[in-house]
Amino acid sequence: MPQLYWQGKEQLFQEVTEQIRRGPTREKLLPDPPFLIYGDVVCAAPRMASELYGRVKLVYMDPPFGTGDSFSHKGRRGRKGSRVIYDDPADADAYLSFMYPVLLSSHAMLAAGGSVYVHLDHRMEHLVRILLDEIFGPGCFRSMVVWKRDPGGKGAKARSRQWPRNIDVLLWYSKSPDSWDFSMEWRQLTDGQKRAYRYTEPDGRRYKAVQLGDYSEKSISELEARGLIHVSRTGRKYRKYYLDGAKSPVDAIWDDIPGFGTRTASGEYTGYPTQKPLSLLERIIRAHTQPGDLVADLFMGSGTTAVAASTLGRRWVGVEKSREGIDVTLHRLGEAGEQYTSPVSVITL
């Protein structure tokens, strides 16, 4: 299996795994969920993994993308904050040294049936996926979700000499290669999908006719008895599927959740850089957890994961290095209402 090597990798591995192993023998530092760790994720994630070893059902992370830029908080009116919130390293070695302890820790804290989502773009996705294959194993790769965050073809994108870079990717790995918790999400059919239901029963019910495939003669006879076989003018038989019972599974291309690039006037938008929509995290949390399960976000940012988890009845923990991010998260939790949120502990590391 291909692996990445850079200066200091082996030492990092030894240090992080030793920190995680020492967890049960050290004094308990972290409170019960929900809590926020205010500090550097490279230091906080191993400590969290040591105390929450095998207890977290879902880890979501939206790390820096390797842009080489600096980010500051813009308020709802677009004003810049007083200081830079974080710098985003573009150097590959520096980026891998930063992400490696976080990914090792995420694997350690996951429970049986648990999953991790790593949210990236085109810059570092290929490198992080190799690390995830090394840490989790290639057999634990489940899917790569493509999120179309903004419509293409507008402004400079329309004049670009390349396809618009208007997508992010979410790498989904499970703790086990054989079992993982997942609930399919469904959505209503599009008008184009509905047009496939072009046949009508005497009572007005619309249906589509689909080839039978490998149905046995016995199964076909049973379907005929239930009125679920369509016979064409040439005498060929097809399986009936009715429009009133139809729904479409959400696939790995998510183009139904707009980002904030074109809707900064949204009431949900806080002005925090790299903020993600609430509906994006709600979809991920619903798919992999049940009420009462524990969710971790290792780059909490504006607190979207905390708000989504709280309103869905899940427990949560997180890490955030900026005071602005802590403040925005606590403010949004307050806006969500007392019926959804519990008192949040903030620990400094």
Side-chain angles (χ1 to χ4, degrees), residues 10 12 20 38 43 68 131 159 168 173 183 197 203 267 286 310 326-327 330 343 346:
E10 292 184 2
L12 265 178
I20 294 171
Y38 174 35
C43 299
L131 280 186
R159 301 186 296 274
D168 289 353
Y173 280 72
S183 299
Y197 295 78
D203 62 2
R286 284 195 302 264
S310 295
I326 298 289
D327 292 342
L330 295 176
V346 179

PDB file of all heavy atoms in Angstrom, residues 10 12 20 38 43 68 131 159 168 173 183 197 203 267 286 310 326-327 330 343 346:
ATOM      1  N   GLU A  10       7.738   9.722  11.705  1.00  0.00           N
ATOM      2  CA  GLU A  10       7.842   8.616  12.650  1.00  0.00           C
ATOM      3  C   GLU A  10       7.802   9.107  14.092  1.00  0.00           C
ATOM      4  O   GLU A  10       7.173   8.484  14.954  1.00  0.00           O
ATOM      5  CB  GLU A  10       9.130   7.840  12.386  1.00  0.00           C
ATOM      6  CG  GLU A  10       9.127   7.078  11.060  1.00  0.00           C
ATOM      7  CD  GLU A  10      10.374   6.252  10.861  1.00  0.00           C
ATOM      8  OE1 GLU A  10      11.228   6.243  11.780  1.00  0.00           O
ATOM      9  OE2 GLU A  10      10.504   5.606   9.804  1.00  0.00           O
ATOM     10  N   LEU A  12       6.323  11.835  15.139  1.00  0.00           N
ATOM     11  CA  LEU A  12       4.945  12.244  15.390  1.00  0.00           C
ATOM     12  C   LEU A  12       4.090  11.045  15.767  1.00  0.00           C
ATOM     13  O   LEU A  12       3.305  11.098  16.718  1.00  0.00           O
ATOM     14  CB  LEU A  12       4.356  12.911  14.141  1.00  0.00           C
ATOM     15  CG  LEU A  12       4.403  14.429  14.017  1.00  0.00           C
ATOM     16  CD1 LEU A  12       3.808  14.856  12.684  1.00  0.00           C
ATOM     17  CD2 LEU A  12       3.668  15.091  15.169  1.00  0.00           C
ATOM     18  N   ILE A  20      -2.066   8.925  23.496  1.00  0.00           N
ATOM     19  CA  ILE A  20      -3.365   8.252  23.527  1.00  0.00           C
ATOM     20  C   ILE A  20      -3.337   7.084  24.506  1.00  0.00           C
ATOM     21  O   ILE A  20      -4.275   6.887  25.286  1.00  0.00           O
ATOM     22  CB  ILE A  20      -3.755   7.784  22.116  1.00  0.00           C
ATOM     23  CG1 ILE A  20      -3.994   9.000  21.198  1.00  0.00           C
ATOM     24  CG2 ILE A  20      -5.010   6.906  22.160  1.00  0.00           C
ATOM     25  CD1 ILE A  20      -4.183   8.648  19.740  1.00  0.00           C
ATOM     26  N   TYR A  38     -10.548  24.962  23.980  1.00  0.00           N
ATOM     27  CA  TYR A  38      -9.964  26.160  23.387  1.00  0.00           C
ATOM     28  C   TYR A  38      -8.459  25.955  23.340  1.00  0.00           C
ATOM     29  O   TYR A  38      -7.771  26.037  24.347  1.00  0.00           O
ATOM     30  CB  TYR A  38     -10.343  27.385  24.221  1.00  0.00           C
ATOM     31  CG  TYR A  38      -9.692  28.681  23.812  1.00  0.00           C
ATOM     32  CD1 TYR A  38      -9.425  28.986  22.480  1.00  0.00           C
ATOM     33  CD2 TYR A  38      -9.359  29.635  24.783  1.00  0.00           C
ATOM     34  CE1 TYR A  38      -8.841  30.184  22.113  1.00  0.00           C
ATOM     35  CE2 TYR A  38      -8.778  30.846  24.425  1.00  0.00           C
ATOM     36  CZ  TYR A  38      -8.522  31.108  23.100  1.00  0.00           C
ATOM     37  OH  TYR A  38      -7.946  32.305  22.738  1.00  0.00           O
ATOM     38  N   CYS A  43      -2.496  19.404  19.821  1.00  0.00           N
ATOM     39  CA  CYS A  43      -2.326  19.005  21.225  1.00  0.00           C
ATOM     40  C   CYS A  43      -3.630  18.453  21.814  1.00  0.00           C
ATOM     41  O   CYS A  43      -3.608  17.509  22.607  1.00  0.00           O
ATOM     42  CB  CYS A  43      -1.868  20.204  22.053  1.00  0.00           C
ATOM     43  SG  CYS A  43      -0.285  20.897  21.538  1.00  0.00           S
ATOM     44  N   GLY A  68      -2.648  28.602   1.782  1.00  0.00           N
ATOM     45  CA  GLY A  68      -1.574  29.566   1.962  1.00  0.00           C
ATOM     46  C   GLY A  68      -2.063  30.933   2.401  1.00  0.00           C
ATOM     47  O   GLY A  68      -1.271  31.876   2.513  1.00  0.00           O
ATOM     48  N   LEU A 131      -3.197   9.294   3.629  1.00  0.00           N
ATOM     49  CA  LEU A 131      -3.040   9.154   5.079  1.00  0.00           C
ATOM     50  C   LEU A 131      -4.190   8.363   5.690  1.00  0.00           C
ATOM     51  O   LEU A 131      -3.985   7.524   6.573  1.00  0.00           O
ATOM     52  CB  LEU A 131      -2.967  10.543   5.730  1.00  0.00           C
ATOM     53  CG  LEU A 131      -1.651  11.298   5.680  1.00  0.00           C
ATOM     54  CD1 LEU A 131      -1.751  12.568   6.511  1.00  0.00           C
ATOM     55  CD2 LEU A 131      -0.500  10.433   6.181  1.00  0.00           C
ATOM     56  N   ARG A 159     -15.712  33.437 -17.134  1.00  0.00           N
ATOM     57  CA  ARG A 159     -14.653  33.834 -18.068  1.00  0.00           C
ATOM     58  C   ARG A 159     -13.400  32.987 -17.907  1.00  0.00           C
ATOM     59  O   ARG A 159     -12.409  33.197 -18.596  1.00  0.00           O
ATOM     60  CB  ARG A 159     -14.306  35.312 -17.848  1.00  0.00           C
ATOM     61  CG  ARG A 159     -15.497  36.266 -18.054  1.00  0.00           C
ATOM     62  CD  ARG A 159     -15.050  37.718 -17.954  1.00  0.00           C
ATOM     63  NE  ARG A 159     -14.550  38.046 -16.620  1.00  0.00           N
ATOM     64  CZ  ARG A 159     -15.322  38.434 -15.608  1.00  0.00           C
ATOM     65  NH1 ARG A 159     -16.637  38.513 -15.771  1.00  0.00           N
ATOM     66  NH2 ARG A 159     -14.798  38.724 -14.439  1.00  0.00           N
ATOM     67  N   ASP A 168     -16.478  21.067  -3.027  1.00  0.00           N
ATOM     68  CA  ASP A 168     -15.645  20.503  -1.977  1.00  0.00           C
ATOM     69  C   ASP A 168     -15.862  18.993  -1.997  1.00  0.00           C
ATOM     70  O   ASP A 168     -16.830  18.493  -2.595  1.00  0.00           O
ATOM     71  CB  ASP A 168     -16.039  21.037  -0.591  1.00  0.00           C
ATOM     72  CG  ASP A 168     -15.655  22.492  -0.390  1.00  0.00           C
ATOM     73  OD1 ASP A 168     -14.964  23.058  -1.257  1.00  0.00           O
ATOM     74  OD2 ASP A 168     -16.095  23.063   0.627  1.00  0.00           O
ATOM     75  N   TYR A 173     -14.728   7.608   5.892  1.00  0.00           N
ATOM     76  CA  TYR A 173     -14.129   6.340   6.290  1.00  0.00           C
ATOM     77  C   TYR A 173     -14.856   5.810   7.521  1.00  0.00           C
ATOM     78  O   TYR A 173     -15.267   6.586   8.396  1.00  0.00           O
ATOM     79  CB  TYR A 173     -12.649   6.509   6.632  1.00  0.00           C
ATOM     80  CG  TYR A 173     -11.737   6.568   5.427  1.00  0.00           C
ATOM     81  CD1 TYR A 173     -11.724   7.681   4.596  1.00  0.00           C
ATOM     82  CD2 TYR A 173     -10.881   5.517   5.102  1.00  0.00           C
ATOM     83  CE1 TYR A 173     -10.892   7.742   3.481  1.00  0.00           C
ATOM     84  CE2 TYR A 173     -10.045   5.565   3.995  1.00  0.00           C
ATOM     85  CZ  TYR A 173     -10.057   6.688   3.191  1.00  0.00           C
ATOM     86  OH  TYR A 173      -9.236   6.737   2.088  1.00  0.00           O
ATOM     87  N   SER A 183     -27.845   5.469   7.850  1.00  0.00           N
ATOM     88  CA  SER A 183     -29.270   5.530   7.501  1.00  0.00           C
ATOM     89  C   SER A 183     -29.416   6.342   6.227  1.00  0.00           C
ATOM     90  O   SER A 183     -29.008   7.512   6.185  1.00  0.00           O
ATOM     91  CB  SER A 183     -30.069   6.188   8.636  1.00  0.00           C
ATOM     92  OG  SER A 183     -29.943   5.443   9.832  1.00  0.00           O
ATOM     93  N   TYR A 197     -42.684   8.352 -15.162  1.00  0.00           N
ATOM     94  CA  TYR A 197     -43.916   7.655 -14.766  1.00  0.00           C
ATOM     95  C   TYR A 197     -45.017   8.041 -15.744  1.00  0.00           C
ATOM     96  O   TYR A 197     -45.908   8.827 -15.447  1.00  0.00           O
ATOM     97  CB  TYR A 197     -44.281   8.026 -13.328  1.00  0.00           C
ATOM     98  CG  TYR A 197     -43.262   7.551 -12.307  1.00  0.00           C
ATOM     99  CD1 TYR A 197     -42.054   8.240 -12.125  1.00  0.00           C
ATOM    100  CD2 TYR A 197     -43.481   6.421 -11.543  1.00  0.00           C
ATOM    101  CE1 TYR A 197     -41.099   7.792 -11.206  1.00  0.00           C
ATOM    102  CE2 TYR A 197     -42.550   5.969 -10.621  1.00  0.00           C
ATOM    103  CZ  TYR A 197     -41.367   6.653 -10.464  1.00  0.00           C
ATOM    104  OH  TYR A 197     -40.440   6.212  -9.564  1.00  0.00           O
ATOM    105  N   ASP A 203     -57.565   4.049 -12.169  1.00  0.00           N
ATOM    106  CA  ASP A 203     -57.900   4.933 -11.046  1.00  0.00           C
ATOM    107  C   ASP A 203     -57.063   6.205 -11.018  1.00  0.00           C
ATOM    108  O   ASP A 203     -57.154   7.005 -10.085  1.00  0.00           O
ATOM    109  CB  ASP A 203     -57.750   4.190  -9.716  1.00  0.00           C
ATOM    110  CG  ASP A 203     -56.314   3.723  -9.460  1.00  0.00           C
ATOM    111  OD1 ASP A 203     -55.426   4.003 -10.301  1.00  0.00           O
ATOM    112  OD2 ASP A 203     -56.073   3.087  -8.409  1.00  0.00           O
ATOM    113  N   GLY A 267     -29.763  34.571   6.958  1.00  0.00           N
ATOM    114  CA  GLY A 267     -29.799  34.790   8.401  1.00  0.00           C
ATOM    115  C   GLY A 267     -28.904  33.841   9.164  1.00  0.00           C
ATOM    116  O   GLY A 267     -28.510  34.122  10.292  1.00  0.00           O
ATOM    117  N   ARG A 286     -27.513  12.923  10.833  1.00  0.00           N
ATOM    118  CA  ARG A 286     -28.659  12.007  10.759  1.00  0.00           C
ATOM    119  C   ARG A 286     -28.275  10.657  10.157  1.00  0.00           C
ATOM    120  O   ARG A 286     -28.799   9.614  10.552  1.00  0.00           O
ATOM    121  CB  ARG A 286     -29.788  12.632   9.932  1.00  0.00           C
ATOM    122  CG  ARG A 286     -30.594  13.707  10.640  1.00  0.00           C
ATOM    123  CD  ARG A 286     -31.880  13.994   9.888  1.00  0.00           C
ATOM    124  NE  ARG A 286     -31.622  14.402   8.511  1.00  0.00           N
ATOM    125  CZ  ARG A 286     -31.546  15.664   8.092  1.00  0.00           C
ATOM    126  NH1 ARG A 286     -31.706  16.647   8.973  1.00  0.00           N
ATOM    127  NH2 ARG A 286     -31.316  15.949   6.826  1.00  0.00           N
ATOM    128  N   SER A 310     -26.913  19.493  18.610  1.00  0.00           N
ATOM    129  CA  SER A 310     -27.793  19.841  19.724  1.00  0.00           C
ATOM    130  C   SER A 310     -29.259  19.779  19.317  1.00  0.00           C
ATOM    131  O   SER A 310     -30.092  19.204  20.025  1.00  0.00           O
ATOM    132  CB  SER A 310     -27.459  21.243  20.240  1.00  0.00           C
ATOM    133  OG  SER A 310     -26.158  21.290  20.789  1.00  0.00           O
ATOM    134  N   ILE A 326     -14.906  30.332  19.385  1.00  0.00           N
ATOM    135  CA  ILE A 326     -15.578  29.945  20.629  1.00  0.00           C
ATOM    136  C   ILE A 326     -16.780  30.857  20.878  1.00  0.00           C
ATOM    137  O   ILE A 326     -17.886  30.388  21.184  1.00  0.00           O
ATOM    138  CB  ILE A 326     -14.610  30.015  21.819  1.00  0.00           C
ATOM    139  CG1 ILE A 326     -13.433  29.031  21.640  1.00  0.00           C
ATOM    140  CG2 ILE A 326     -15.347  29.757  23.130  1.00  0.00           C
ATOM    141  CD1 ILE A 326     -13.793  27.584  21.782  1.00  0.00           C
ATOM    142  N   ASP A 327     -16.565  32.163  20.718  1.00  0.00           N
ATOM    143  CA  ASP A 327     -17.639  33.126  20.987  1.00  0.00           C
ATOM    144  C   ASP A 327     -18.806  32.953  20.024  1.00  0.00           C
ATOM    145  O   ASP A 327     -19.977  32.990  20.427  1.00  0.00           O
ATOM    146  CB  ASP A 327     -17.101  34.553  20.910  1.00  0.00           C
ATOM    147  CG  ASP A 327     -16.129  34.873  22.042  1.00  0.00           C
ATOM    148  OD1 ASP A 327     -16.136  34.146  23.059  1.00  0.00           O
ATOM    149  OD2 ASP A 327     -15.361  35.846  21.908  1.00  0.00           O
ATOM    150  N   LEU A 330     -20.787  29.709  20.931  1.00  0.00           N
ATOM    151  CA  LEU A 330     -21.627  29.860  22.118  1.00  0.00           C
ATOM    152  C   LEU A 330     -22.826  30.762  21.825  1.00  0.00           C
ATOM    153  O   LEU A 330     -23.938  30.512  22.311  1.00  0.00           O
ATOM    154  CB  LEU A 330     -20.803  30.429  23.273  1.00  0.00           C
ATOM    155  CG  LEU A 330     -19.668  29.528  23.786  1.00  0.00           C
ATOM    156  CD1 LEU A 330     -18.868  30.236  24.873  1.00  0.00           C
ATOM    157  CD2 LEU A 330     -20.217  28.204  24.309  1.00  0.00           C
ATOM    158  N   PRO A 343     -25.738  23.275  29.176  1.00  0.00           N
ATOM    159  CA  PRO A 343     -24.610  24.151  29.494  1.00  0.00           C
ATOM    160  C   PRO A 343     -23.303  23.599  28.914  1.00  0.00           C
ATOM    161  O   PRO A 343     -23.031  22.394  29.020  1.00  0.00           O
ATOM    162  CB  PRO A 343     -24.584  24.148  31.025  1.00  0.00           C
ATOM    163  CG  PRO A 343     -25.988  23.839  31.418  1.00  0.00           C
ATOM    164  CD  PRO A 343     -26.506  22.904  30.375  1.00  0.00           C
ATOM    165  N   VAL A 346     -16.088  25.116  28.629  1.00  0.00           N
ATOM    166  CA  VAL A 346     -14.984  25.531  27.762  1.00  0.00           C
ATOM    167  C   VAL A 346     -13.685  25.317  28.539  1.00  0.00           C
ATOM    168  O   VAL A 346     -13.495  25.875  29.614  1.00  0.00           O
ATOM    169  CB  VAL A 346     -15.092  26.996  27.323  1.00  0.00           C
ATOM    170  CG1 VAL A 346     -13.923  27.383  26.445  1.00  0.00           C
ATOM    171  CG2 VAL A 346     -16.421  27.235  26.590  1.00  0.00           C
TER     172      VAL A 346
END
